[in-house]
Amino acid sequence: MGELEALYIGYSIIWLGLFGYLVYLHMKQVKLANELKLLEEMVKKE
Amino acid sequence: MKFDKRLETVILILTVFFVLLSIYTALIYTPEVREEDGWSAPKAQKIFYFHVPAAWVSFLAFGVVFIMSVLYLKNSLRKWDTIAFASAEIGVVFCTLAIVTGPIWGKAEWGVYWRWEDTKLTITFVLWLIFLAYLLLRGGVESENKARLAAVFGIIGFACVPLSFISSRIWQSMHPNVVATSEGSMSSETGIGLLVGVVAFSFLYMFMLRKRIAIQEMASKIEDLKEKIGGI
């Protein structure tokens, strides 16, 4: 593996990994917020 | 609530600022190491500015798991368990990044990806496996004592952190010592670059932790509501 190749791969893994995890957190938060809102409405109705 | 939102915004701004600053210091501010000083891949050495902070933050996250697990075993409050679980997941993410980027740098620098006889690498890998098992335990085991079991696991798993930290000093290792030794081989620019990286990733950890805790709390609320609806 070349030096620059290692650098590019290393940096890509770090930043894509962190960004990917942040996106995962955000999507999970949005999904749960919707589910929570729906359930709260159901409880209110009942 | 208002204070919480404001704090979250402050952490977000500081995170973005330090992440951008860390990229600048790593790529532009810090000088390239010289082959005369024993580096065989000077350009790949720049991985160091994010590989070390990733490892540092994973140790910090596992330290938080340890403290929260001890607190949970002491008084069984759900909030300690929530923080421990959230911190463990983020710790595994950062530890994975450190474990993956290390061999990439190692291949360029030493010509090999991994050496099992190297205690630092092996202990860090075991640490990663332990906390991966911790997450699987949290997700898989259906038991009332799940949180207690996980707390014990988290406390035992943390033992690998100090061991990994000091292993390259007490056993033979090709992994360099990061914290300056008496020979003091790190230049001031390198030290600043590393420090900025550590601060950036620590803020990123705080931001992720707050987000992950919020998710966990929402999931608990949903479970409670589902039980309530089921019980009506």
Side-chain angles (χ1 to χ4, degrees):
Chain A
M1 188 185 291
E3 277 187 67
L4 273 176
E5 202 183 345
L7 184 67
Y8 293 148
I9 294 172
Y11 272 45
S12 302
I13 288 171
I14 289 269
W15 295 112
L16 285 176
L18 290 174
F19 187 68
Y21 183 63
L22 279 171
V23 169
Y24 160 76
L25 286 182
H26 179 71
M27 284 171 70
K28 196 165 180 174
Q29 197 172 21
V30 170
K31 187 183 162 236
L32 288 178
N34 287 339
E35 200 177 333
L36 188 63
K37 204 174 154 188
L38 210 76
L39 281 169
E40 276 170 347
E41 277 170 14
M42 272 173 79
V43 170
K44 258 185 204 170
K45 273 184 195 167
E46 289 196 43
Chain B
M1 196 74 181
K2 207 174 178 184
F3 173 77
D4 258 25
K5 203 85 191 148
R6 203 174 286 173
L7 184 68
E8 200 172 312
T9 311
V10 170
I11 292 175
L12 178 64
I13 291 168
L14 286 170
T15 303
V16 172
F17 171 74
F18 277 105
V19 162
L20 293 175
L21 187 66
S22 70
I23 294 170
Y24 168 77
T25 51
L27 291 176
I28 298 163
Y29 174 74
T30 54
E32 205 170 275
V33 290
R34 296 178 309 176
E35 284 187 50
E36 300 92 271
D37 293 332
W39 297 95
S40 49
K43 285 186 176 68
Q45 187 270 345
K46 297 256 178 187
I47 292 175
F48 163 86
Y49 297 106
F50 296 110
H51 164 74
V52 176
W56 152 254
V57 169
S58 71
F59 291 171
L60 171 75
F62 297 145
V64 170
V65 176
F66 173 77
I67 295 167
M68 295 305 139
S69 299
V70 170
L71 289 173
Y72 182 77
L73 288 181
K74 236 176 161 183
N75 53 26
S76 298
L77 284 178
R78 195 199 245 184
K79 67 174 178 180
W80 304 133
D81 178 55
T82 303
I83 300 172
F85 184 28
S87 191
E89 187 179 290
I90 300 166
V92 167
V93 170
F94 277 98
C95 198
T96 306
L97 293 176
I99 277 183
V100 173
T101 53
I104 292 168
W105 178 22
K107 177 70 178 167
E109 182 62 33
W110 306 315
V112 287
Y113 284 109
W114 196 271
R115 277 176 65 173
W116 287 108
E117 61 271 30
D118 193 300
T119 45
K120 192 173 185 93
L121 307 189
T122 309
I123 291 171
T124 310
F125 182 68
V126 170
L127 175 73
W128 178 75
L129 281 181
I130 288 172
F131 279 93
L132 200 64
Y134 174 98
L135 295 182
L136 292 174
L137 176 82
R138 297 300 305 244
V141 177
E142 280 307 324
S143 157
E144 279 180 16
N145 290 327
K146 186 156 80 173
R148 281 195 102 70
L149 207 68
V152 173
F153 210 86
I155 291 168
I156 296 168
F158 179 74
C160 279
V161 170
L163 216 60
S164 169
F165 196 71
I166 59 166
S167 58
S168 58
R169 288 159 187 270
I170 52 175
W171 290 296
Q172 203 177 11
S173 172
M174 61 179 184
H175 193 285
N177 279 316
V178 175
V179 177
T181 55
S182 51
E183 297 100 57
S185 55
M186 202 189 289
S187 73
S188 60
E189 287 97 339
T190 305
I192 290 169
L194 180 61
L195 185 70
V196 173
V198 167
V199 172
F201 276 18
S202 299
F203 274 116
L204 198 55
Y205 163 74
M206 274 192 265
F207 178 73
M208 286 173 170
L209 187 66
R210 288 184 65 81
K211 229 173 167 47
R212 190 65 187 81
I213 289 169
I215 287 171
Q216 198 59 27
E217 283 171 348
M218 252 193 266
S220 299
K221 263 187 205 167
I222 288 172
E223 282 303 309
D224 292 344
L225 280 176
K226 275 182 180 169
E227 265 178 38
K228 203 174 172 183
I229 292 168
I232 290 171

XYZ file of all heavy atoms in Angstrom, chain B residues 18-104:
692
model
N -14.096 22.719 16.193
C -12.886 21.936 16.465
C -12.630 20.841 15.421
O -11.474 20.512 15.146
C -12.920 21.348 17.879
C -12.460 22.332 18.913
C -13.364 22.962 19.742
C -11.110 22.665 19.042
C -12.949 23.900 20.683
C -10.684 23.598 19.969
C -11.598 24.216 20.797
N -13.703 20.296 14.842
C -13.495 19.285 13.793
C -12.822 19.937 12.581
O -11.842 19.404 12.034
C -14.845 18.615 13.404
C -14.747 17.922 12.056
C -15.260 17.598 14.475
N -13.315 21.122 12.186
C -12.705 21.823 11.047
C -11.259 22.213 11.369
O -10.354 22.057 10.547
C -13.531 23.061 10.674
C -14.931 22.776 10.095
C -15.691 24.072 9.871
C -14.844 21.981 8.802
N -11.060 22.689 12.613
C -9.703 23.084 13.027
C -8.761 21.871 13.033
O -7.594 21.970 12.635
C -9.757 23.718 14.427
C -8.460 24.338 14.944
C -8.071 25.551 14.098
C -8.607 24.764 16.409
N -9.290 20.720 13.464
C -8.447 19.520 13.527
C -8.029 19.059 12.130
O -6.908 18.593 11.929
C -9.170 18.389 14.274
O -10.244 17.908 13.514
N -8.932 19.211 11.153
C -8.584 18.835 9.767
C -7.491 19.780 9.250
O -6.518 19.353 8.632
C -9.831 18.861 8.853
C -10.814 17.766 9.302
C -9.455 18.640 7.393
C -12.182 17.826 8.656
N -7.657 21.069 9.582
C -6.650 22.053 9.156
C -5.286 21.763 9.810
O -4.256 21.716 9.131
C -7.125 23.474 9.504
C -6.029 24.504 9.368
C -5.644 24.976 8.106
C -5.346 24.980 10.487
C -4.621 25.894 7.977
C -4.317 25.900 10.363
C -3.951 26.353 9.103
O -2.921 27.245 8.981
N -5.282 21.547 11.123
C -3.994 21.315 11.811
C -3.336 20.025 11.332
O -2.118 19.986 11.156
C -4.154 21.272 13.346
O -5.192 20.374 13.675
C -4.416 22.616 13.952
N -4.152 18.989 11.109
C -3.569 17.702 10.694
C -2.969 17.778 9.295
O -1.867 17.280 9.051
C -4.630 16.613 10.752
N -3.692 18.422 8.384
C -3.241 18.403 6.982
C -2.306 19.554 6.623
O -1.425 19.399 5.774
C -4.458 18.412 6.047
C -5.305 17.137 6.048
C -6.529 17.316 5.165
C -4.503 15.928 5.591
N -2.472 20.706 7.246
C -1.696 21.888 6.825
C -0.715 22.363 7.899
O 0.470 22.577 7.615
C -2.654 23.032 6.406
C -3.488 22.552 5.205
C -1.888 24.314 6.042
C -4.715 23.352 4.923
N -1.191 22.538 9.132
C -0.351 23.136 10.176
C 0.824 22.241 10.589
O 1.953 22.709 10.700
C -1.215 23.474 11.390
C -0.427 23.962 12.590
C 0.127 25.247 12.599
C -0.225 23.132 13.692
C 0.857 25.685 13.698
C 0.502 23.566 14.788
C 1.034 24.842 14.788
O 1.766 25.270 15.870
N 0.539 20.956 10.810
C 1.609 20.074 11.311
C 2.599 19.721 10.193
O 2.198 19.441 9.064
C 1.026 18.768 11.882
O 0.198 18.181 10.882
C 0.226 19.005 13.133
N 3.888 19.750 10.508
C 4.876 19.425 9.467
C 4.923 17.923 9.195
O 4.547 17.127 10.057
C 6.191 19.899 10.097
C 5.966 19.789 11.566
C 4.512 20.048 11.804
N 5.372 17.584 8.004
C 5.521 16.168 7.668
C 6.736 15.615 8.422
O 7.768 16.291 8.484
C 5.746 16.052 6.162
C 5.325 14.724 5.593
C 5.342 14.744 4.078
O 4.340 15.179 3.484
O 6.372 14.343 3.512
N 6.594 14.432 8.999
C 7.751 13.844 9.694
C 8.826 13.463 8.667
O 8.524 13.301 7.488
C 7.336 12.605 10.538
C 6.509 13.007 11.734
C 6.618 11.576 9.692
N 10.066 13.336 9.134
C 11.151 13.108 8.180
C 11.610 11.653 8.194
O 11.623 11.000 9.248
C 12.334 14.014 8.520
C 11.995 15.492 8.360
C 13.149 16.365 8.750
N 13.663 16.016 10.071
C 14.732 16.597 10.614
N 15.417 17.487 9.940
N 15.124 16.251 11.827
N 11.994 11.170 7.020
C 12.499 9.793 6.915
C 13.776 9.626 7.729
O 14.046 8.551 8.257
C 12.730 9.430 5.439
C 11.420 9.139 4.715
C 11.606 8.608 3.308
O 12.386 7.660 3.135
O 10.978 9.157 2.389
N 14.545 10.740 7.872
C 15.796 10.687 8.656
C 15.513 10.373 10.126
O 16.376 9.884 10.847
C 16.544 12.029 8.598
C 16.953 12.467 7.199
C 15.892 13.362 6.551
O 14.994 12.793 5.895
O 15.976 14.593 6.696
N 14.287 10.683 10.586
C 13.932 10.406 11.981
C 13.390 8.994 12.184
O 12.858 8.673 13.253
C 12.895 11.432 12.477
C 13.491 12.833 12.558
O 14.717 12.942 12.765
O 12.741 13.818 12.400
N 13.465 8.201 11.134
C 13.074 6.801 11.277
C 11.692 6.454 10.749
O 11.235 5.322 10.897
N 10.992 7.443 10.134
C 9.661 7.152 9.578
C 9.833 6.664 8.149
O 10.499 7.328 7.353
C 8.787 8.403 9.585
C 8.498 8.936 10.954
C 9.180 9.910 11.597
C 7.474 8.498 11.846
N 8.642 10.120 12.853
C 7.595 9.262 13.030
C 6.469 7.528 11.774
C 6.755 9.093 14.123
C 5.622 7.369 12.853
C 5.771 8.143 14.017
N 9.212 5.538 7.817
C 9.340 5.060 6.441
C 8.185 5.527 5.559
O 8.280 5.442 4.336
C 9.475 3.535 6.413
O 8.486 2.940 7.191
N 7.086 5.989 6.171
C 5.945 6.502 5.383
C 5.484 7.834 5.976
O 4.458 7.897 6.658
C 4.816 5.484 5.379
N 6.227 8.919 5.727
C 5.909 10.213 6.361
C 4.513 10.749 6.057
O 3.879 11.336 6.929
C 6.972 11.159 5.794
C 8.048 10.289 5.294
C 7.405 9.022 4.861
N 4.029 10.521 4.839
C 2.697 11.060 4.490
C 1.596 10.303 5.235
O 0.643 10.904 5.730
C 2.474 10.980 2.983
C 3.261 12.034 2.226
C 2.925 12.051 0.765
C 3.647 13.181 0.073
N 5.129 12.967 0.024
N 1.756 8.994 5.340
C 0.741 8.177 6.024
C 0.711 8.473 7.520
O -0.292 8.202 8.190
C 1.020 6.698 5.787
N 1.790 9.050 8.054
C 1.839 9.364 9.493
C 0.722 10.324 9.897
O 0.328 10.388 11.048
C 3.224 9.948 9.826
C 3.507 10.175 11.298
C 3.089 11.568 11.774
O 2.835 12.453 10.976
N 3.030 11.728 13.087
N 0.202 11.088 8.906
C -0.875 12.042 9.213
C -2.146 11.340 9.719
O -3.027 11.987 10.282
C -1.205 12.882 7.974
C -0.042 13.756 7.501
C -0.254 15.188 7.866
C 0.913 16.070 7.443
N 0.814 17.427 7.923
N -2.240 10.031 9.504
C -3.370 9.263 10.056
C -3.360 9.353 11.576
O -4.397 9.344 12.228
C -3.298 7.784 9.589
C -3.550 7.684 8.082
C -4.293 6.906 10.342
C -3.373 6.289 7.507
N -2.151 9.469 12.141
C -1.938 9.566 13.584
C -2.848 10.609 14.251
O -3.354 10.381 15.342
C -0.453 9.932 13.771
C -0.054 10.479 15.110
C 0.288 9.621 16.152
C 0.031 11.853 15.333
C 0.691 10.125 17.378
C 0.425 12.356 16.558
C 0.756 11.486 17.582
N -3.085 11.769 13.553
C -3.844 12.872 14.148
C -5.320 12.547 14.364
O -6.024 13.311 15.030
C -3.680 14.145 13.309
C -2.241 14.602 13.289
C -1.455 14.429 12.153
C -1.652 15.133 14.434
C -0.119 14.815 12.154
C -0.326 15.507 14.440
C 0.439 15.349 13.291
O 1.758 15.706 13.304
N -5.803 11.459 13.759
C -7.192 11.049 14.014
C -7.265 9.642 14.601
O -8.229 9.312 15.276
C -8.032 11.167 12.739
C -8.145 12.593 12.283
C -7.515 13.031 11.135
C -8.847 13.519 13.049
C -7.581 14.363 10.746
C -8.921 14.851 12.674
C -8.284 15.279 11.521
N -6.235 8.838 14.327
C -6.204 7.473 14.876
C -6.087 7.543 16.409
O -6.838 6.867 17.126
C -5.013 6.716 14.268
C -4.629 5.466 14.980
N -5.377 4.303 14.893
C -3.591 5.181 15.810
C -4.798 3.370 15.634
N -3.719 3.865 16.204
N -5.180 8.369 16.902
C -4.979 8.477 18.360
C -6.204 9.098 19.052
O -6.689 8.537 20.042
C -3.677 9.251 18.690
C -3.525 9.439 20.188
C -2.476 8.512 18.131
N -6.751 10.233 18.543
C -7.962 10.754 19.180
C -9.122 9.752 19.198
O -9.875 9.690 20.167
C -8.316 11.985 18.335
C -7.012 12.451 17.822
C -6.229 11.198 17.540
N -9.250 8.949 18.117
C -10.330 7.942 18.092
C -10.121 6.930 19.220
O -11.067 6.581 19.934
C -10.368 7.242 16.735
N -8.865 6.497 19.389
C -8.568 5.543 20.469
C -8.803 6.198 21.834
O -9.402 5.596 22.723
C -7.125 5.062 20.342
N -8.378 7.468 21.951
C -8.538 8.197 23.217
C -10.021 8.314 23.599
O -10.413 8.058 24.741
C -7.869 9.574 23.106
C -8.480 10.613 23.995
C -9.282 11.642 23.610
C -8.373 10.714 25.428
N -9.682 12.362 24.709
C -9.141 11.820 25.832
C -7.712 9.961 26.398
C -9.265 12.201 27.161
C -7.833 10.344 27.736
C -8.595 11.452 28.098
N -10.853 8.694 22.619
C -12.278 8.869 22.909
C -12.938 7.524 23.247
O -13.825 7.465 24.092
C -12.990 9.596 21.745
C -14.502 9.544 21.902
C -12.541 11.044 21.700
N -12.464 6.441 22.606
C -13.043 5.137 22.959
C -12.702 4.798 24.413
O -13.545 4.289 25.149
C -12.568 4.043 21.999
O -11.213 3.733 22.211
N -11.481 5.127 24.855
C -11.101 4.883 26.255
C -11.952 5.748 27.190
O -12.407 5.295 28.235
C -9.619 5.193 26.489
C -8.665 4.231 25.818
C -7.302 4.481 25.778
C -9.126 3.061 25.230
C -6.423 3.592 25.163
C -8.259 2.172 24.602
C -6.914 2.451 24.572
N -12.164 7.000 26.776
C -13.000 7.914 27.569
C -14.428 7.355 27.688
O -15.003 7.316 28.781
C -13.020 9.291 26.885
C -14.004 10.331 27.422
C -13.509 10.898 28.748
C -14.201 11.472 26.425
N -14.957 6.887 26.544
C -16.330 6.352 26.524
C -16.442 5.113 27.421
O -17.411 4.967 28.168
C -16.723 6.008 25.092
N -15.436 4.236 27.368
C -15.475 3.028 28.203
C -15.276 3.398 29.682
O -15.794 2.711 30.567
C -14.440 2.009 27.733
C -14.679 1.501 26.334
C -13.622 1.194 25.477
C -15.981 1.346 25.845
C -13.852 0.746 24.182
C -16.213 0.906 24.543
C -15.148 0.604 23.711
N -14.553 4.478 29.924
C -14.401 4.984 31.300
C -15.743 5.448 31.836
O -16.097 5.187 32.993
N -16.511 6.120 30.972
C -17.854 6.577 31.369
C -18.756 5.361 31.632
O -19.514 5.340 32.601
C -18.458 7.504 30.280
C -19.928 7.795 30.546
C -17.669 8.815 30.219
N -18.619 4.326 30.797
C -19.401 3.084 31.024
C -19.068 2.527 32.408
O -19.969 2.153 33.174
C -19.071 2.009 29.947
C -19.803 0.701 30.263
C -19.455 2.490 28.570
N -17.788 2.514 32.728
C -17.324 1.984 34.032
C -17.968 2.767 35.192
O -18.574 2.175 36.093
C -15.797 2.075 34.093
C -15.209 1.713 35.424
C -15.097 0.389 35.818
C -14.766 2.698 36.293
C -14.555 0.058 37.056
C -14.226 2.383 37.529
C -14.117 1.047 37.909
N -17.861 4.100 35.128
C -18.396 4.938 36.222
C -19.917 4.770 36.344
O -20.448 4.578 37.438
C -18.016 6.425 36.007
C -16.488 6.588 36.107
C -18.699 7.332 37.029
C -15.968 7.918 35.608
N -20.599 4.819 35.208
C -22.063 4.709 35.226
C -22.511 3.322 35.697
O -23.527 3.189 36.372
C -22.651 4.998 33.828
C -22.441 6.410 33.361
S -23.085 7.602 34.550
C -21.823 8.825 34.521
N -21.739 2.296 35.344
C -22.088 0.931 35.766
C -21.943 0.792 37.277
O -22.788 0.171 37.931
C -21.181 -0.092 35.067
O -21.360 -0.005 33.684
N -20.876 1.386 37.821
C -20.681 1.346 39.278
C -21.852 2.062 39.961
O -22.435 1.549 40.923
C -19.329 1.995 39.673
C -19.237 2.178 41.181
C -18.165 1.158 39.171
N -22.220 3.242 39.426
C -23.340 3.999 40.008
C -24.648 3.216 39.915
O -25.444 3.205 40.847
C -23.486 5.360 39.301
C -22.396 6.391 39.601
C -22.569 7.610 38.712
C -22.442 6.814 41.066
N -24.838 2.529 38.784
C -26.076 1.765 38.605
C -26.149 0.602 39.603
O -27.204 0.344 40.181
C -26.190 1.221 37.171
C -27.477 0.470 36.957
C -28.671 1.152 36.789
C -27.504 -0.925 36.974
C -29.869 0.474 36.648
C -28.697 -1.609 36.831
C -29.868 -0.916 36.662
O -31.064 -1.589 36.537
N -25.029 -0.077 39.795
C -25.025 -1.195 40.747
C -25.281 -0.687 42.168
O -25.804 -1.413 43.009
C -23.699 -1.953 40.688
C -23.470 -2.801 39.430
C -22.132 -3.506 39.504
C -24.584 -3.830 39.228
N -24.898 0.562 42.421
C -25.066 1.136 43.750
C -26.529 1.491 44.040
O -27.043 1.192 45.108
C -24.215 2.424 43.853
C -23.240 2.391 45.018
C -22.395 3.629 44.974
C -21.766 3.872 46.327
N -21.000 5.112 46.343
N -27.199 2.179 43.064
C -28.560 2.617 43.394
C -29.640 2.290 42.352
O -30.774 2.758 42.496
C -28.581 4.119 43.713
C -27.948 4.928 42.604
O -27.940 4.493 41.464
N -27.409 6.082 42.933
N -29.272 1.496 41.333
C -30.256 0.986 40.333
C -31.103 2.052 39.643
O -32.230 1.777 39.237
C -31.190 -0.040 40.987
O -30.464 -1.124 41.439
N -30.571 3.262 39.504
C -31.327 4.302 38.783
C -31.183 4.085 37.281
O -30.084 3.868 36.783
C -30.810 5.700 39.145
C -31.226 6.257 40.505
C -30.604 7.615 40.731
C -32.746 6.364 40.599
N -32.322 4.168 36.569
C -32.321 3.878 35.139
C -31.398 4.813 34.347
O -30.822 4.441 33.335
C -33.755 3.975 34.610
C -33.945 3.360 33.247
C -35.214 3.881 32.618
N -36.198 2.843 32.429
C -37.362 3.056 31.815
N -37.672 4.236 31.367
N -38.237 2.076 31.659
N -31.274 6.077 34.812
C -30.475 7.057 34.031
C -28.998 6.646 33.915
O -28.372 6.861 32.886
C -30.606 8.462 34.607
C -30.008 8.673 35.971
C -30.090 10.139 36.350
C -29.535 10.361 37.749
N -29.581 11.739 38.180
N -28.449 6.001 34.952
C -27.045 5.573 34.889
C -26.883 4.490 33.822
O -25.910 4.477 33.074
C -26.551 5.047 36.234
C -26.696 5.976 37.396
C -27.201 5.665 38.625
C -26.338 7.371 37.477
N -27.187 6.757 39.449
C -26.668 7.816 38.766
C -25.794 8.284 36.570
C -26.463 9.126 39.186
C -25.592 9.601 36.982
C -25.920 10.004 38.264
N -27.852 3.590 33.793
C -27.811 2.502 32.810
C -27.948 3.052 31.391
O -27.268 2.602 30.476
C -28.942 1.508 33.120
C -28.999 0.387 32.118
O -27.960 -0.276 31.939
O -30.054 0.175 31.499
N -28.814 4.054 31.238
C -29.019 4.673 29.916
C -27.715 5.306 29.419
O -27.320 5.119 28.264
C -30.121 5.769 30.013
O -31.296 5.166 30.523
C -30.401 6.396 28.672
N -27.034 6.041 30.310
C -25.782 6.703 29.906
C -24.717 5.648 29.583
O -23.986 5.768 28.597
C -25.281 7.672 31.005
C -26.324 8.755 31.271
C -23.946 8.325 30.600
C -26.021 9.655 32.469
N -24.640 4.590 30.407
C -23.639 3.533 30.181
C -23.843 2.882 28.815
O -22.884 2.716 28.049
C -23.732 2.490 31.290
N -25.089 2.551 28.487
C -25.400 1.897 27.208
C -25.045 2.819 26.039
O -24.387 2.403 25.070
C -26.886 1.518 27.194
C -27.331 0.755 25.984
C -26.445 -0.047 25.278
C -28.651 0.809 25.551
C -26.862 -0.769 24.163
C -29.073 0.107 24.440
C -28.183 -0.679 23.738
N -25.438 4.090 26.165
C -25.160 5.062 25.095
C -23.654 5.225 24.896
O -23.151 5.212 23.770
C -25.803 6.403 25.448
N -22.939 5.345 26.005
C -21.487 5.548 25.924
C -20.775 4.325 25.351
O -19.802 4.460 24.601
C -20.945 5.879 27.320
O -19.628 6.317 27.230
N -21.270 3.131 25.692
C -20.649 1.901 25.175
C -20.760 1.837 23.655
O -19.795 1.486 22.967
C -21.309 0.681 25.805
N -21.943 2.206 23.142
C -22.134 2.148 21.680
C -21.188 3.125 20.973
O -20.522 2.765 19.994
C -23.588 2.475 21.331
C -23.872 2.267 19.858
C -25.310 2.571 19.490
O -26.192 1.800 19.881
O -25.531 3.589 18.803
N -21.079 4.342 21.505
C -20.193 5.341 20.880
C -18.730 4.900 21.025
O -17.926 5.051 20.110
C -20.434 6.734 21.501
C -21.887 7.140 21.279
C -19.506 7.775 20.883
C -22.335 8.308 22.122
N -18.401 4.323 22.179
C -17.050 3.809 22.400
C -16.675 2.754 21.374
O -15.559 2.761 20.841
N -17.627 1.872 21.064
C -17.357 0.822 20.069
C -17.138 1.448 18.686
O -16.255 1.024 17.936
C -18.499 -0.233 20.044
C -18.397 -1.130 18.825
C -18.458 -1.076 21.316
N -17.918 2.494 18.372
C -17.741 3.168 17.069
C -16.321 3.740 16.967
O -15.603 3.502 15.986
C -18.792 4.299 16.882
C -18.456 5.156 15.666
C -20.185 3.709 16.728
N -15.887 4.475 17.987
C -14.551 5.088 17.952
C -13.444 4.025 18.000
O -12.417 4.164 17.337
C -14.389 6.095 19.094
C -14.971 7.446 18.782
C -16.230 7.808 19.224
C -14.262 8.345 18.000
C -16.779 9.046 18.913
C -14.799 9.596 17.680
C -16.065 9.946 18.144
N -13.660 2.974 18.793
C -12.664 1.908 18.887
C -12.523 1.200 17.534
O -11.418 0.847 17.117
C -13.076 0.912 19.986
S -11.734 -0.140 20.545
N -13.668 1.012 16.835
C -13.628 0.386 15.503
C -12.781 1.241 14.556
O -11.937 0.712 13.821
C -15.067 0.252 14.930
O -15.864 -0.447 15.888
C -15.082 -0.482 13.616
N -12.994 2.564 14.612
C -12.239 3.464 13.732
C -10.732 3.384 14.038
O -9.904 3.359 13.135
C -12.733 4.907 13.875
C -14.159 5.164 13.384
C -14.572 6.598 13.662
C -14.290 4.858 11.901
N -10.395 3.324 15.337
C -8.974 3.232 15.718
C -8.384 1.905 15.276
O -7.262 1.849 14.750
C -8.847 3.399 17.230
N -9.156 0.833 15.436
C -8.669 -0.509 15.079
C -8.531 -0.688 13.563
O -7.669 -1.407 13.090
C -9.609 -1.584 15.698
C -9.200 -1.807 17.156
C -9.573 -2.876 14.939
C -9.966 -2.866 17.865
N -9.386 -0.005 12.793
C -9.311 -0.126 11.331
C -8.216 0.780 10.756
O -7.459 0.381 9.860
C -10.693 0.188 10.680
C -10.584 0.237 9.170
C -11.719 -0.870 11.086
N -8.104 2.006 11.279
C -7.108 2.929 10.702
C -5.681 2.574 11.133
O -4.735 2.846 10.392
C -7.401 4.395 11.090
O -7.533 4.485 12.514
C -8.643 4.911 10.423
N -5.536 1.965 12.305
C -4.200 1.567 12.774
C -3.488 0.651 11.790
O -2.367 0.946 11.351
N -4.115 -0.461 11.400
C -3.459 -1.358 10.439
C -3.171 -0.713 9.084
O -2.189 -1.064 8.425
C -4.460 -2.510 10.294
C -5.196 -2.515 11.573
C -5.324 -1.072 11.969
N -4.033 0.230 8.648
C -3.786 0.896 7.353
C -2.492 1.710 7.445
O -1.641 1.669 6.547
C -5.000 1.793 6.979
C -6.202 0.902 6.679
C -4.685 2.685 5.792
C -7.515 1.630 6.585
